[in-house]
Amino acid sequence: MDTARDQRDEARDKVQAVEAQLAIAQHNLNHSVITAPTDGYVAQLLVRPGFMTVPLPFAPLMVFVHQEPDAFVAAFPQNVIQSVKPGAPVEVFFPFSPGHVFKAKVKQVAAVIAEGQILANGELKSFTAHVPPGKVPVLLEFEAGELDPLALPGGAAGEATVYTGQFPFTNILRRILFRMRSWENYVFAG
């Protein structure tokens, strides 16, 4: 009789051990699921089976692209930014479409630029690296249907000019010169 009881106890111990392993495996599975923060897609996946991750990784395991309206940003020197106001007309060209000028308007002018940021990290600051760029970002909004037929990849670059209303007599010359710059892309591709 003791043999049957021993076998039962041994079987119960094995079942409990297997159930504990199953619980650990389920816990690991529940914590290995990667959930997207918003609608979008993974552009680059570096996760492979067996990778060990932590909640605060030092290197990202994937690049996630949020599905949201495109943002178009132009950068202008500080000496002209004072006359750039929301609603001002803008023209933009992209090298992939020589001779085509797209219509847009200024949506917003950045209130602060990166050079205005100082991090407390215990080091003396050197501003020589930050002084030359100093351009102010301006968010652009294209007219309805202006960019629909085009497939612009994220990070595409172009050139923009803003017509501020100051010195309106120069606008015609600026428009001609801007179109000439756009046409250069026929000749100087690459």
Side-chain angles (χ1 to χ4, degrees):
M1 214 152 177
D2 282 337
T3 309
R5 183 176 287 162
D6 289 343
Q7 288 176 343
R8 232 186 352 229
D9 290 344
E10 187 177 322
R12 186 178 54 238
D13 291 344
K14 285 182 182 179
V15 168
Q16 288 174 347
V18 170
E19 286 175 344
Q21 289 175 345
L22 178 61
I24 290 170
Q26 186 63 48
H27 174 78
N28 289 339
L29 178 62
N30 291 342
H31 287 84
S32 65
V33 174
I34 299 172
T35 306
T38 63
D39 289 340
Y41 61 93
V42 175
Q44 186 176 25
L45 180 64
L46 304 171
V47 177
R48 298 289 180 258
F51 272 25
M52 180 67 98
T53 63
V54 293
L56 297 171
F58 293 107
L61 298 174
M62 68 177 62
V63 175
F64 184 80
V65 177
H66 298 275
Q67 211 166 18
E68 54 191 14
D70 293 330
F72 294 93
V73 180
F76 295 98
Q78 295 176 28
N79 61 343
V80 299
I81 205 67
Q82 296 162 349
S83 57
V84 175
K85 305 286 184 229
V90 179
E91 289 186 334
V92 180
F93 73 80
F94 298 97
F96 72 86
S97 183
H100 192 150
V101 175
F102 301 93
K103 305 282 186 208
K105 64 181 177 180
V106 173
K107 185 175 182 178
Q108 178 183 359
V109 178
V112 178
I113 58 178
E115 289 78 8
Q117 174 176 304
I118 297 179
L119 298 176
N121 62 2
E123 296 177 8
L124 290 175
K125 295 296 170 196
S126 170
F127 294 100
T128 55
H130 297 293
V131 173
K135 300 224 177 184
V136 179
V138 174
L139 190 61
L140 304 179
E141 183 176 51
F142 282 87
E143 292 181 5
E146 191 70 13
L147 289 178
D148 287 347
L150 304 175
L152 277 175
E159 289 188 34
T161 187
V162 176
Y163 300 104
T164 62
Q166 270 189 319
F167 311 112
F169 54 89
T170 63
N171 284 352
I172 188 72
L173 181 59
R174 288 178 60 208
R175 288 181 192 274
I176 292 169
L177 292 173
F178 191 71
R179 279 155 180 73
M180 289 173 64
R181 292 265 310 129
S182 171
W183 295 332
E184 287 177 0
N185 290 301
Y186 281 118
V187 180
F188 303 111

